[in-house]
Amino acid sequence: MSVFKDSGHLFRLAALYAAGTLTFLGIRGLFVPHSFGQYGHYRGAAITEIAAHPVHFAGHQTCETCHTDVQQIKKSGMHAQVNCEACHGPLAKHADDPASAQPAKLDTAVLCVRCHAASAARPKNFPQVAAVDHSNGVPCETCHQPHSPAIGTGGVK
Amino acid sequence: MNITRRQMLILLPAAAVAWESVLAGTPESSPNYKMTEHWWSMLIDISKCIGCGNCVRACQAENDIPDGFFRTWVERYHVTDWNLENPEVISPDGGKEGFPSVTEDQNGKYFFVPKLCNHCADSPCTQVCPVGATFISPDGVVLVDQKYCLGCAYCVQACPYGCRYIHPQKKVADKCTLCYHRITKGLTTACCEACPTGARQLADLKNPKDPIHEFLRTHNVQILKPQMATGAKVFYNDLDGSVR
């Protein structure tokens, strides 16, 4: 069979090719992250890493576990659907350890008008006032209890 | 050690299953959260938005966003009835500190449009990434793997909604994660938590008890740029046709 007499060349070539493939796979294994392709063409571990970011807003359910008195005042008022941290800001640190972070004192002159300053761009049925005409500089909380703002219906301040 | 053929046949698949679980890596950080059981979206009710900017500030606080960059922002539209196609749109500092007051316009209307990543089911941004650094997670959230991102900004160009930017310090793509670190723990997003009127609501399309299903049936809900077939999952109620 003279056709196969130099088949050694082929075997050497095949061995070289196999060695090259193995080297490629080895290097690829080193560089491609472990979880790549776990869910798709991306690093699966990235999902876990993103999910592990710290939380800053505790969520109103957490607030309500301690501040039941405020919850009672709020629940029948106009601000029942406004979550605590909408005005008080992110307070997950306070929720974890109340002593470590205290909520900042709020300035109603800034806070109330942010939502309630009269503007034609706001929905018509949303309560809004032109602050100067409405109170002439008297602070909002003089008349309105922020947790239940309708006059006469609010709880104690 | 003597192993019969029968024992070997039992052992081999068991070993294969064990090896698969080793390859799968560490389990998710939230033990009760199953990615396959959710398909996240958001509902935005334009008729409830008052343009206070609470969502923008909450997003920046929750996600440590540098000043001048926004994962969510609010736009104010002014559409006049003689020029419906060319609304005047402003968004001063992303609407972070609210908007200047306006008086009634007899020939036009004003309204606010909060914007954020649409978490598209067929998103253009994930398709153009050359390295697989951005992707849609099994629960329908478009995320960026910031350890893997090169910062080439192809995705920034590809997003038809302008929802991505290159983070000025990290030099990688950054965008809304739909507060993935919160929703996987059973919390709502920071913007929804801070929204005083309920204009923004997180919704889970795979949860049959989610109120979004009834809302979608009973309201005229649209998505942005439907002609681009992105499969956007941020639904707008009461959206004006002039919004792009």
Side-chain angles (χ1 to χ4, degrees), chain B residues 25-47:
Chain B
T26 48
E28 291 159 43
S29 56
S30 310
N32 298 322
Y33 183 79
K34 287 203 179 65
M35 281 193 287
T36 48
E37 290 176 1
H38 304 275
W39 192 247
W40 294 108
S41 69
M42 192 175 276
L43 183 62
I44 294 181
D45 196 341
I46 301 286
S47 62

Side-chain angles (χ1 to χ4, degrees), chain B residues 37-101:
Chain B
E37 290 176 1
H38 304 275
W39 192 247
W40 294 108
S41 69
M42 192 175 276
L43 183 62
I44 294 181
D45 196 341
I46 301 286
S47 62
K48 283 185 180 173
C49 182
I50 57 170
C52 62
N54 260 15
C55 49
V56 184
R57 288 192 305 281
C59 179
Q60 295 205 322
E62 179 72 28
N63 299 298
D64 299 320
I65 312 294
D67 277 343
F69 293 85
F70 304 94
R71 288 186 181 185
T72 184
W73 67 97
V74 183
E75 295 171 355
R76 191 186 76 194
Y77 274 66
H78 179 207
V79 191
T80 45
D81 49 17
W82 42 267
N83 199 357
L84 289 170
E85 281 296 299
N86 293 297
E88 178 206 1
V89 184
I90 63 163
S91 186
D93 203 12
K96 192 176 163 185
E97 298 300 331
F99 291 80
S101 282

Side-chain angles (χ1 to χ4, degrees), chain A residues 31-36 38-39 41-43 46-62 81-87 90 110-111 114-126, chain B residues 22-24 27-29 35 47-52 54 57-58 61-62 64 76 97 101-104 110-112 131-132 135-138 143-145 147-148 180-182 184-185 187 190 192-194 196-197:
Chain A
F31 283 100
V32 174
H34 199 59
S35 61
F36 201 93
Q38 187 185 351
Y39 304 111
H41 188 69
Y42 57 89
R43 208 167 55 92
I47 295 182
T48 326
E49 288 167 23
I50 293 165
H53 287 181
V55 166
H56 293 83
F57 282 80
H60 65 103
Q61 300 91 339
T62 309
Q81 300 304 318
V82 182
N83 292 331
C84 314
E85 288 161 308
C87 299
V110 177
L111 203 65
R114 205 174 252 162
C115 294
H116 293 288
S119 174
R122 300 197 204 278
K124 298 282 171 292
N125 56 359
F126 185 78
Chain B
V22 169
L23 286 182
E28 291 159 43
S29 56
M35 281 193 287
S47 62
K48 283 185 180 173
C49 182
I50 57 170
C52 62
N54 260 15
R57 288 192 305 281
E62 179 72 28
D64 299 320
R76 191 186 76 194
E97 298 300 331
S101 282
V102 283
T103 48
E104 200 73 43
Y110 292 93
F111 54 90
F112 299 106
V131 296
F135 53 89
I136 185 160
S137 67
L143 297 170
V144 178
D145 179 355
K147 282 189 184 163
Y148 219 57
Y180 197 74
H181 60 296
R182 298 176 59 85
T184 50
K185 295 183 182 83
L187 296 163
C192 292
E193 182 69 31
T197 63

Side-chain angles (χ1 to χ4, degrees), chain B residues 163-223:
Chain B
C163 295
R164 288 171 169 257
Y165 59 92
I166 296 293
H167 193 287
Q169 280 96 44
K170 298 181 196 164
K171 310 286 182 199
V172 291
D174 199 47
K175 68 178 287 297
C176 166
T177 61
L178 208 63
C179 281
Y180 197 74
H181 60 296
R182 298 176 59 85
I183 62 177
T184 50
K185 295 183 182 83
L187 296 163
T188 187
T189 65
C191 55
C192 292
E193 182 69 31
C195 179
T197 63
R200 303 172 75 117
Q201 278 169 36
L202 179 73
D204 182 0
L205 296 172
K206 265 195 190 173
N207 177 4
K209 291 188 182 132
D210 198 295
I212 189 165
H213 299 295
E214 198 197 335
F215 195 94
L216 292 178
R217 280 200 303 274
T218 53
H219 291 75
N220 295 322
V221 176
Q222 295 184 53
I223 56 164

